Each structure stands twice: as C-alpha cells, then as structure tokens.
Amino acid sequence: MASGNAIRGSRVGAGPMGEAERGESAPRLRISFWCSNGHETQPSFASDAQIPDTWDCPRCGFPAGKERENPPDPPRTEPYKTHLAYVRERRSDADGEAILAEALAKLRGEI
C-alpha cells in the first residue's frame, strides 16, 4: 500500500514546469569562438547584447576569438622565481662579490 504522500516528487515552492508556463524566451544568437588549441565553443547571447571579442574556452581555459584562422595567443605564464633570481636582478656579480668579501671579513673578525 502507498504511503499516501500526495506531493511526492516535488518540492515546496516549485512552480509549473515547461516553456509555455514560463513565457517566451528572448531571441538568441549563437556565436562561435575558437581557441589556439582548435576547440570551438558556441555560447548563446541575447540578440541585443554586446558580443565580447574574446571568450574563455571551457575545455582548456585559453582565450578564444571569433576568427578560426587567427585565434588569440595563449597567455604567457612566467615561471616561478627563486629568491636568488630576484637578488641577481638587483645586483651585479661585482656587487655580490663585494658583499661576500665584507661578510667573510666580519666572520673572520677583520672588521
């Protein structure tokens, strides 16, 4: 015998289902975008919306453009720099040797 629950399968506040009950949908445009890996994505936009020049590819995350033959370049990621790499940008080899000589002189007690 059934449990007698009359609203089984629906939730509180659920509205009517289907397109007819929701009204007309806005006119839409499907625009193709291509990334540098050759992936195509076709998001839909309202017909009166401003279409962006680039769109992020949902498959690889690279920027995608409207031209299939000329997609935007992928972003260039800089590799992680160590502390030593930053020091080398600020100091020359001669500066480094002078600082090292000064530190060694302090350790030896010459200064």
Side-chain angles (χ1 to χ4, degrees), residues 21-104:
E21 289 83 8
R22 283 187 265 146
E24 301 276 331
S25 62
R28 303 229 169 244
L29 297 172
R30 292 189 69 82
I31 306 294
S32 293
F33 290 90
W34 287 274
C35 70
S36 59
N37 287 333
H39 302 140
E40 179 185 10
T41 183
Q42 291 185 329
S44 61
F45 298 95
S47 61
D48 58 347
Q50 182 179 0
I51 309 298
D53 293 330
T54 60
W55 191 262
D56 289 338
C57 178
R59 291 181 65 191
C60 64
F62 287 170
K66 297 179 201 172
E67 299 177 22
R68 185 178 199 155
E69 296 79 27
N70 190 18
D73 293 329
R76 205 177 128 200
T77 56
E78 295 291 326
Y80 173 76
K81 287 187 182 179
T82 63
H83 175 70
L84 182 59
Y86 285 111
V87 170
R88 286 184 176 163
E89 285 180 358
R90 294 190 312 263
R91 307 264 188 208
S92 67
D93 287 340
D95 291 339
E97 292 201 20
I99 293 170
L100 178 62
E102 183 182 336
L104 289 174

